[in-house]
């Protein structure tokens, strides 16, 4: 247990010392005016340090939740409950989660978590206020296990490559399939890159636009989400988008893998099913940006991480030259590569002249054009503006 004196006690202590000094200079008549300050200072200095007793913080329900949900916690204080003001200050590694007043030795706390990741409530403290608010007695609290906050589930359509287009987005699954399947599933409006071989004539005649039959297939797509984890301002948005892309394809009955490419490298081989969705999401919860100047190449990855026929979706802001080299190496290795390019920073994050900003945008556009000439499908901020309904659902707050 630790004791922290408040600013109020500092004022009282200064007043008490001033009273004693004035008494020594002006006589004993002054001490009558400052007696309350002296008494309060003595109370703050001599108040006994009573222990909280046994304090236990436990989970009231499951520690697995989604962004925006509440985590229920149960706090129990031992037999040394005093009739003083108590509250809990919930924090997670420096992030303030809230202050919860306590009315009894056993209380329930409901903390709302707004960001995905692992939460262990490091820095959480139980606070007991002293008489007249002169000091605070605190004790550190912790959970035995971390809470897992998963990214919110968004209705994100799978993004695939379109034919002969520099920027593209479609709802079809893969151009490498030998057939589209036989079993009818649904109808959808035709988009860029769709072949008009299975038109639903009734829906097209009724609406005046082209609608296609959507059929199931027994040929799953092998997709590897290639996440750039080099430090930059858009790191959290990239990680959230990667989680939602993996979830969208897995629920489309595809096989999805994950590659963490940055200061550290990690991978999960492609697999399907809800278990793979859980494994990928939990792996992304622990991803942290890590600065490293070491050379990073896809040669460091095993063959199981990047199957030969897999489509690789690179989620990055292309701010590091090593991720650009990795995109080129993936294309040269024969993979179908889709680069989902996030914005590097907003205008408030980069305080530069208008000319320099314009030059930076021109260089970025030239880089994207060079990648498109290599055969890489690029989805950048312009594609976001034209197809915001399909993409922004994965990252909007």
């Amino acid at each position: 247990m630790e004791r922290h004196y408040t600013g109020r006690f500092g004022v009282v202590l200064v007043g008490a010392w001033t009273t004693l000094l004035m008494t020594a200079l002006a006589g004993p008549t002054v001490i009558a005016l400052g007696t309350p300050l002296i008494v309060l200072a003595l109370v703050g200095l001599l108040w006994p340090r009573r222990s909280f007793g046994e304090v236990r913080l436990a989970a009231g329900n499951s520690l697995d939740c989604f962004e925006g949900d509440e985590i229920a916690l149960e706090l129990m204080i031992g037999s040394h409950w005093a009739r003083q003001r108590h509250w809990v200050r919930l924090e997670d590694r420096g992030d303030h989660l809230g202050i919860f007043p306590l009315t009894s030795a056993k209380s329930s706390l409901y903390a709302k978590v707004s960001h995905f990741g692992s939460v262990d409530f490091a820095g959480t403290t139980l606070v007991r206020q002293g008489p007249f608010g002169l000091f605070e007695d605190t004790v550190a609290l912790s959970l035995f296990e971390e809470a897992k906050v998963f990214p919110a589930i968004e209705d994100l359509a799978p993004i695939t490559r379109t034919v002969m287009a520099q920027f593209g987005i479609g709802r079809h699954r893969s151009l490498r399939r030998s057939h589209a399947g036989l079993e009818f599933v649904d109808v959808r409006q035709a988009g860029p890159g769709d072949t008009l071989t299975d038109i639903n004539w009734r829906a097209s005649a009724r609406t005046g636009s082209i609608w296609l039959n959507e059929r199931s297939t027994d040929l799953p797509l092998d997709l590897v989400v290639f996440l750039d984890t080099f430090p930059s301002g858009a790191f959290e948005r990239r990680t959230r988008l990667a989680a939602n892309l993996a979830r969208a394809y897995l629920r489309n009955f595809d096989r999805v893998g994950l590659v963490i490419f940055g200061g550290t490298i990690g991978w999960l081989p492609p697999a399907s099913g809800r278990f793979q969705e859980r494994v990928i999401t939990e792996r992304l919860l622990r991803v942290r940006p890590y600065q490293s100047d070491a050379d990073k190449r896809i040669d460091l990855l095993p063959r199981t991480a990047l199957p030969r026929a897999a489509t690789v979706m690179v989620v990055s802001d292309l701010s590091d030259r090593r991720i650009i080299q990795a995109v080129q190496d993936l294309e040269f290795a024969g993979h179908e590569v889709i680069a989902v390019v996030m914005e590097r920073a907003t205008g408030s994050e980069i305080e530069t002249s208008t000319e320099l900003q314009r030059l930076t945008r021109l260089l970025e556009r030239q880089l994207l054009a060079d990648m498109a000439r290599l055969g890489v499908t690029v989805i950048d901020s312009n594609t976001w503006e034209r197809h915001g309904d399909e993409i922004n659902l994965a990252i909007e707050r």
Side-chain angles (χ1 to χ4, degrees):
M1 184 189 71
E2 297 181 358
R3 174 163 292 183
H4 303 278
Y5 289 96
T6 63
R8 180 179 300 178
F9 176 77
V11 173
V12 170
L13 191 61
V14 170
W17 279 109
T18 303
T19 300
L20 294 176
L21 181 61
M22 294 297 295
T23 301
L25 296 177
T29 56
V30 181
I31 197 171
L33 300 176
T35 299
L37 296 177
I38 297 176
V39 173
L40 288 177
L42 292 176
V43 169
L45 292 173
L46 302 179
W47 192 268
R49 296 173 179 258
R50 291 195 299 269
S51 172
F52 286 92
E54 182 182 359
V55 180
R56 187 163 65 93
L57 183 66
N61 54 10
S62 174
L63 289 178
D64 295 349
C65 63
F66 292 93
E67 288 180 292
D69 292 345
E70 289 185 339
I71 297 178
L73 303 174
E74 296 290 340
L75 177 67
M76 286 161 283
I77 305 177
S79 58
H80 297 277
W81 174 265
R83 291 185 179 180
Q84 294 174 261
R85 185 185 176 192
H86 291 71
W87 67 86
V88 174
R89 186 183 296 115
L90 279 182
E91 294 184 0
D92 175 49
R93 293 184 285 262
D95 294 336
H96 182 69
L97 300 179
I99 296 178
F100 301 88
L102 305 179
T103 57
S104 63
K106 183 176 181 181
S107 303
S108 298
L109 314 177
Y110 297 93
K112 186 175 182 179
V113 287
S114 58
H115 296 285
F116 73 92
S118 58
V119 180
D120 59 3
F121 298 103
T124 296
T125 54
L126 172 62
V127 182
R128 180 175 61 201
Q129 189 179 60
F132 309 104
L134 300 176
F135 58 84
E136 295 175 350
D137 292 332
T138 62
V139 62
L141 302 177
S142 62
L143 285 176
F144 291 106
E145 57 180 326
E146 294 182 342
K148 299 173 183 177
V149 184
F150 296 98
I153 297 178
E154 306 288 358
D155 185 16
L156 180 66
I159 304 171
T160 60
R161 179 180 178 181
T162 57
V163 180
M164 300 300 293
Q166 177 177 344
F167 306 104
I169 179 173
R171 291 182 61 87
H172 51 287
R173 299 175 68 184
S174 176
L175 297 176
R176 297 188 179 185
R177 302 181 186 278
S178 59
H179 61 86
L182 299 176
E183 183 179 355
F184 175 81
V185 177
D186 199 357
V187 295
R188 61 177 175 82
Q189 194 169 6
D194 288 332
T195 57
L196 306 181
T197 57
D198 197 4
I199 300 177
N200 189 303
W201 296 105
R202 290 186 178 181
S204 300
R206 184 171 60 253
T207 60
S209 58
I210 299 178
W211 287 75
L212 304 178
N213 293 321
E214 193 170 26
R215 302 181 184 276
S216 64
T217 177
D218 55 352
L219 297 178
L221 169 69
D222 278 352
L223 175 76
V224 176
V225 178
F226 197 95
L227 177 62
D228 170 15
T229 59
F230 291 108
S232 70
F235 174 77
E236 184 176 329
R237 297 175 68 239
R238 293 200 306 268
T239 307
R240 181 181 291 108
L241 179 58
N244 281 296
L245 285 172
R247 180 185 292 116
Y249 278 95
L250 285 169
R251 297 192 176 184
N252 203 35
F253 306 104
D254 291 319
R255 289 162 40 88
V256 179
L258 176 68
V259 169
I260 306 297
F261 193 84
T264 57
I265 293 180
W267 61 87
L268 292 171
S272 59
R274 290 298 180 94
F275 180 76
Q276 179 73 353
E277 177 183 334
R278 177 70 177 237
V279 171
I280 290 178
T281 308
E282 291 193 3
R283 180 65 180 87
L284 290 174
L285 295 183
R286 290 167 173 78
V287 171
R288 298 290 184 271
Y290 178 74
Q291 182 64 43
S292 172
D293 296 329
D295 188 24
K296 303 292 182 180
R297 304 294 291 266
I298 64 172
D299 298 340
L300 300 174
L301 297 169
R303 293 184 178 180
T304 55
L306 290 171
R308 188 176 185 84
T311 298
V312 182
M313 184 170 292
V314 181
V315 181
S316 171
D317 60 2
L318 302 181
S319 60
D320 195 286
R321 58 174 179 79
R322 290 167 289 185
I323 197 70
I324 300 173
Q325 183 63 47
V327 172
Q328 296 174 352
D329 293 342
L330 289 168
E331 180 64 28
F332 292 151
H335 293 284
E336 182 181 2
V337 182
I338 303 172
V340 183
V341 183
M342 312 288 292
E343 292 185 359
R344 298 187 182 182
T346 61
S348 60
E349 295 172 345
I350 300 180
E351 296 182 359
T352 55
S353 63
T354 305
E355 292 76 9
L356 184 55
Q357 291 181 4
R358 187 178 306 167
L359 177 60
T360 302
R361 285 195 294 269
L362 288 175
L363 293 176
E364 292 176 355
R365 298 302 301 169
Q366 183 62 44
L367 172 62
L368 298 182
D370 293 341
M371 294 176 62
R373 278 194 289 270
L374 287 175
V376 177
T377 300
V378 178
I379 302 176
D380 70 339
S381 57
N382 290 336
T383 311
W384 250 262
E385 295 176 1
R386 297 196 302 268
H387 303 280
D389 292 341
E390 288 85 357
I391 303 176
N392 279 336
L393 288 176
I395 58 175
E396 66 180 5
R397 295 297 300 151

